[in-house]
Amino acid sequence: MLEQISDKLKQAEKIIFVTGAGISQESGIPTFRGKDGLWRKYDPMKLATIDAFYEDPKLVWEWYEERRKNILAAKPNLGHLAIVQLEKKKPVHVLTQNIDGLHQRAGSKNVYELHGSIITIKCTVCGFKDKISTSFSKLPPLCKCGNILRPDVVWFGESLPQDVWQAAISQASSCDTMIIVGTSLAVSPANLLPIYAKQNGAILIEINPEETPMSGTMDISIRSSAAKALPELVTVF
Ligand code: OAD
Ligand code: ZN
């Protein structure tokens, strides 16, 4: 299949990656909906909504601190690194639902964090916002202004950062190739990005060991893991 479109891929001028939790799975970061997924063990309504946060900020923070420790100790894998290799040859933008910062740590230059960042912390009241990689001794941590701090992530029911989302739509609508890696495409609005690309006539390639609701729309579905499939795929360009 790849051979059939390899000429087109060689001519690609604007490549967009849409990534989800699956690309970091081989770095030891659990996904949400797959086997061993976080949402199979935990109720997102108790841990990832603003109501849950105000109901029990300590509980939500304990869960985030555990994830922050795991994420900060994790390393980018061959999947993240393959994208960086392709960036040396072609214009590449990465639209990620991940909050783990592994694309940036791998060296990717144009990363759009659709769901925010677990490393960035912000105040619930004043404008304070900063990258904090150390753990907090007292939970929930407080801002200098006296109010509770929170991770700068998008919770269920919250909007995506509008500047990032608008930029993502514009990138997706103008690409000629979109590579969708490690996302169940279950969460809106990020799951609309392949549709914007398709409307522009882009080639859609999916890398996921499992089928997704949009597998039928893909030009190619590679049923393999990100760290296995991406290093090979990027050599075709
Ligand atoms: P999901 O957990 O929904 O989906 C992960 C996908 O990765 C699944 O389709 C798996 O089959 C696939 N996968 C697993 N291991 C893989 C591997 N090694 N290589 C490639 N693919 C693999 O994660 P997301 O689609 O990212 O949002 O979830 C979207 C959003 O839902 C998250 O950003 C988060 C979550 O609730 C918020 O918290 C707002
Ligand atoms: Zn504050």
Side-chain angles (χ1 to χ4, degrees):
M1 278 297 263
L2 262 180
E3 277 155 29
Q4 278 171 28
I5 58 161
S6 69
D7 282 349
K8 272 194 183 163
L9 297 183
K10 281 196 170 46
Q11 284 161 23
E13 282 173 2
K14 183 162 182 187
I15 304 157
I16 300 289
F17 285 86
V18 172
T19 65
I23 195 169
S24 297
Q25 188 263 340
E26 286 152 296
S27 293
I29 301 171
T31 64
F32 295 96
R33 296 176 181 77
K35 183 168 111 14
D36 303 326
L38 292 171
W39 298 152
R40 297 203 175 200
K41 271 190 273 179
Y42 303 104
D43 178 357
M45 293 304 129
K46 295 208 170 84
L47 294 167
T49 69
I50 192 71
D51 288 348
F53 182 67
Y54 283 121
E55 183 84 19
D56 196 342
K58 189 162 184 280
L59 175 86
V60 171
W61 258 110
E62 280 167 356
W63 191 65
Y64 272 91
E65 274 296 85
E66 215 178 290
R67 289 178 63 206
R68 277 163 53 82
K69 261 186 221 140
N70 182 33
I71 283 169
L72 286 160
K75 291 195 175 66
N77 65 53
L78 293 175
H80 300 103
L81 294 169
I83 296 176
V84 181
Q85 285 310 310
L86 187 55
E87 285 175 26
K88 292 179 184 157
K89 281 199 267 184
K90 299 264 184 177
V92 170
H93 297 261
V94 181
L95 316 180
T96 188
Q97 296 164 81
N98 298 344
I99 58 176
D100 57 32
L102 287 183
H103 285 299
Q104 295 92 322
R105 279 170 55 200
S108 276
K109 295 278 185 291
N110 308 311
V111 183
Y112 300 72
E113 292 182 310
L114 303 172
H115 292 166
S117 159
I118 201 167
I119 298 139
T120 305
I121 305 300
K122 67 180 179 187
C123 179
T124 48
V125 176
C126 78
F128 171 82
K129 193 176 192 175
D130 204 0
K131 282 193 170 138
I132 301 178
S133 309
T134 47
S135 47
F136 295 102
S137 50
K138 204 162 170 278
L139 298 178
L142 298 181
C143 181
K144 283 201 182 97
C145 78
N147 291 291
I148 302 179
L149 293 170
R150 61 167 280 182
D152 186 22
V153 298
V154 175
W155 281 326
F156 287 102
E158 294 184 320
S159 328
L160 272 54
Q162 281 310 296
D163 50 341
V164 179
W165 176 240
Q166 287 308 324
I169 294 179
S170 146
Q171 294 296 348
S173 310
S174 58
C175 71
D176 54 41
T177 310
M178 180 174 274
I179 305 170
I180 298 133
V181 190
T183 172
S184 61
L185 294 171
V187 173
S188 180
N191 62 359
L192 299 175
L193 292 168
I195 297 171
Y196 286 108
K198 189 87 183 170
Q199 281 168 353
N200 191 45
I203 295 176
L204 301 189
I205 302 175
E206 174 178 70
I207 297 176
N208 196 314
E210 310 278 337
E211 200 173 315
T212 72
M214 288 188 64
S215 293
T217 315
M218 302 292 158
D219 292 283
I220 298 179
S221 285
I222 304 174
R223 293 271 163 266
S224 179
S225 82
K228 282 194 200 118
L230 272 170
E232 202 180 316
L233 175 63
V234 300
T235 63
V236 180
F237 286 85

